[in-house]
Amino acid sequence: MDEPCPACGHSPALVLIEGSDRLYGTTDRVFQVVECQACQLLRLHPWPSPGELRHYYPDDYWFVPEQDAVSNLEETYRRVVLRDHVNFVRRALDRAEAEGPVLDVGCGGGLFLKMLAEKGRSVVGLDFALGAAGAAWNRNGVPAVCGSLTQTPFAPESFAAVTMFHVIEHLFDPVSYLEAAHRLIKPGGRLIVQVPNASCWQFLLLGESWNGVDIPRHLINYRAHDLEILLDRCGFEATRTKYFSLRDNPAGLASSLAPGLDPMARRIRAIEEPPKKRLAKDLLYLGLVMLSVPFTLLEAACHAGSTVMMEARKKA
Ligand SMILES: [Zn+2]
């Protein structure tokens, strides 16, 4: 390997799998997922340049539902499955020794923050995509800023908590992001991070078909232990870990098994579907998601769930 490991700087690495953009079909280029032979961190190889990587993100990557009946159904579904995230963050805020707003990095259309605001919390969103930040405000009434966490207009120690759901696996330099979060969080505040968990059963069983590797958008594939080490290095102590997410784990298995049914992939690939066909595919997908629940609960109970959500305390 010519590229050094981003965590330890060591170059030799073992090739685990090969694959291309299975979900959105943005490229035919084949990438590998390799394991660093020194620190065992899993990473995409080779890393695309930032300019190339941009082409692997479809324009419609963030999600805002339209206002028709099927979309309203999808929105209801999204609210039900997001409760896990909302409850995890509310509990973290209850345990935090700090008062103040919550900043969600990679806020998308802002539904999560809207639900948190409905529980009486003050919230702010941040997203790379101008359309996402605009939609968070226009659709969901969530104040949102367009930009990068490393260059935000916020004063240091402004927030009781910073949340990052499925953000850091997309970053070339997660350390700079986590350090920026550290500066923005008040003493005693909390960081909540969620990533796909590369030490899950789904990866073992499905290999490159596991949608958690998401070639070529996931530059680093964390195991729960890697995330703990990274957080510690950036000034945080992991205090709580959850391996199950109702939004992500069953749907992740469904999308791994039947990527052609994934609602977001269908939208991004702009597949023509009359409303009835769209509803039928949505229901079929929903059925597959429900069938996936028992397995994903079992793997999570064995600490091998396909996502890992961590609450971390800002160290003094
Ligand atoms: Zn390494």
Side-chain angles (χ1 to χ4, degrees):
M1 299 288 151
D2 30 0
E3 280 170 3
C5 164
C8 74
H10 208 74
S11 289
L14 201 69
V15 178
L16 296 189
I17 57 167
E18 276 189 352
S20 190
D21 186 355
R22 190 167 176 268
L23 199 56
Y24 302 140
T26 60
T27 180
D28 294 326
R29 188 176 172 192
V30 173
F31 293 85
Q32 299 170 332
V33 172
V34 302
E35 180 180 51
C36 170
Q37 293 202 311
C39 76
Q40 277 77 51
L41 186 71
L42 305 182
R43 67 183 193 270
L44 186 73
H45 178 82
W47 270 8
S49 69
E52 181 188 350
L53 186 61
R54 228 181 12 246
H55 297 295
Y56 302 150
Y57 284 91
D59 293 336
D60 197 14
Y61 192 64
W62 49 276
F63 173 80
V64 175
E66 294 149 37
Q67 304 280 31
D68 60 33
V70 179
S71 297
N72 289 343
L73 200 67
E74 284 176 7
E75 167 107 1
T76 305
Y77 169 80
R78 281 161 44 78
R79 288 186 77 102
V80 169
V81 297
L82 258 173
R83 277 185 205 156
D84 253 0
H85 288 68
V86 173
N87 290 337
F88 191 90
V89 172
R90 286 176 72 200
R91 196 167 149 207
L93 288 167
D94 289 342
R95 289 149 51 99
E97 303 99 54
E99 297 281 327
V102 175
L103 175 68
D104 184 33
V105 179
C107 68
L111 183 59
F112 160 74
L113 286 179
K114 183 186 186 183
M115 290 173 69
L116 205 56
E118 287 166 357
K119 299 290 180 189
R121 301 291 178 172
S122 115
V123 299
V124 182
L126 179 76
D127 207 288
F128 276 134
L130 184 59
W137 176 247
N138 292 322
R139 289 281 181 86
N140 287 322
V142 167
V145 173
C146 177
S148 152
L149 186 62
T150 49
Q151 291 169 317
T152 62
F154 307 118
E157 303 191 351
S158 292
F159 298 98
V162 170
T163 57
M164 295 184 196
F165 302 117
H166 296 275
V167 170
I168 64 167
E169 66 272 26
H170 296 268
L171 302 175
F172 288 104
D173 183 11
V175 170
S176 69
Y177 250 59
L178 293 172
E179 287 178 347
H182 192 270
R183 286 192 293 277
L184 290 173
I185 295 172
K186 294 183 178 186
R190 292 293 191 270
L191 173 73
I192 294 97
V193 179
Q194 188 194 26
V195 294
N197 174 23
S199 48
C200 66
W201 291 353
Q202 289 184 45
F203 190 30
L204 279 177
L205 292 169
L206 301 171
E208 70 272 20
S209 299
W210 176 48
N211 87 327
V213 284
D214 201 20
I215 295 170
R217 284 167 292 274
H218 290 182
L219 303 176
I220 299 177
N221 301 102
Y222 298 93
R223 300 178 175 107
H225 183 58
D226 303 318
L227 184 59
E228 253 174 56
I229 292 171
L230 177 66
L231 291 174
D232 178 67
R233 191 174 150 192
C234 299
F236 294 98
E237 180 193 6
T239 52
R240 189 160 55 108
T241 305
K242 191 170 190 270
Y243 292 91
F244 185 76
S245 153
L246 187 57
R247 182 189 68 175
D248 301 316
N249 294 28
L253 180 52
S255 294
S256 300
L257 297 172
L261 285 178
D262 182 288
M264 179 140 148
R266 282 155 45 212
R267 183 163 35 242
I268 281 172
R269 287 172 178 259
I271 292 170
E272 285 288 329
E273 291 169 357
K276 272 188 185 164
K277 191 172 179 190
R278 179 170 158 213
L279 182 62
K281 280 189 176 179
D282 281 350
L283 290 175
L284 202 58
Y285 181 75
L286 183 62
L288 194 55
V289 170
M290 285 162 77
L291 285 173
S292 301
V293 169
F295 175 83
T296 54
L297 278 172
L298 180 65
E299 65 171 354
C302 297
H303 290 189
S306 58
T307 58
V308 55
M309 201 183 301
M310 245 176 228
E311 174 191 333
R313 190 180 59 82
K314 178 177 175 171
K315 289 193 282 193

